[in-house]
Amino acid sequence: MEQKFNSKTNGLDLQQLREFCEREGEDLLYGKGKQMERQGEPARWFAYVVEGCFKYDTRGGEGLRVGERSAGVDKEHTTWFSFQGEFVADYPRLLYGHPAKSTIEAMVPSRVLRVSGEQLMRFFGQSIETMELRAIIGEHVLCQFHERYLDLHCATPRERYDLLMQRCPGIVEHLPLYAIASFLNITPQMLSKIRKEITFNT
């Protein structure tokens, strides 16, 4: 369960993208609970997280045809996180202003360097090098989603919890347990059982 956009992870060097945000981005502070994107509305923003963290929530039932039913309708699912030193965005939808698939919300007061999708598209069009960077980012995001898919299907609930804690050990201080359970795709009761087993080393 890797970072979606880290300045340098798994050999992917995004320093050039970070420098672009530092040079062209607007320095903004998002208060706790403040939304950067709202599900269903045009995605607009790409930002480097200087301080803080964000969560991605998606409400179930989005896009269902009339007459369809789902147990997940109107239920909010926490699907991703972005932390300090990472990039936060509904990518690649922001490049084209397509409706956001997730609501992106600050979990704590968070400072970002934010650019628009239009700015990012102009940046990618500057040279062959930046066009190649765009392709590499797309491949990286695809790999991350594939790893997430494999985690959900192949890893046990305990393994998924351990992976999350390795990446962001302080997350329990910022999120209620039901949101963490949602991200892990388990029930809150199962999460409580896992935490109890860890506490008592059973």
Side-chain angles (χ1 to χ4, degrees), residues 57-142:
D57 287 335
T58 301
R59 189 165 292 282
E62 184 76 15
L64 288 179
R65 294 187 297 273
V66 174
E68 289 183 319
R69 293 290 181 268
S70 168
V73 170
D74 291 331
K75 181 179 179 182
E76 199 164 74
H77 305 269
T78 300
T79 57
W80 205 268
F81 306 103
S82 290
F83 295 91
Q84 181 175 327
E86 299 178 12
F87 296 93
V88 55
D90 191 330
Y91 191 93
R93 295 176 188 87
L94 72 104
L95 296 178
Y96 310 102
H98 290 172
K101 290 293 185 180
S102 298
T103 294
I104 302 177
E105 178 181 303
M107 293 190 287
V108 297
S110 302
R111 180 175 163 236
V112 303
L113 300 173
R114 193 186 74 178
V115 297
S116 68
E118 291 86 355
Q119 286 176 285
L120 190 59
M121 284 287 275
R122 288 196 295 270
F123 169 73
F124 285 144
Q126 286 179 356
S127 66
I128 295 296
E129 182 182 17
T130 53
M131 290 176 68
E132 289 178 349
L133 178 61
R134 177 180 176 180
I136 291 170
I137 290 171
E139 293 172 359
H140 180 71
V141 172
L142 179 61

Side-chain angles (χ1 to χ4, degrees), residues 152-178:
L152 290 173
H153 283 269
C154 302
T156 66
R158 171 63 185 272
E159 288 170 341
R160 295 201 295 274
Y161 178 83
D162 288 342
L163 286 168
L164 179 61
M165 292 303 105
Q166 288 170 21
R167 179 188 170 199
C168 38
I171 196 169
V172 293
E173 300 173 9
H174 305 307
L175 273 185
L177 292 184
Y178 73 82

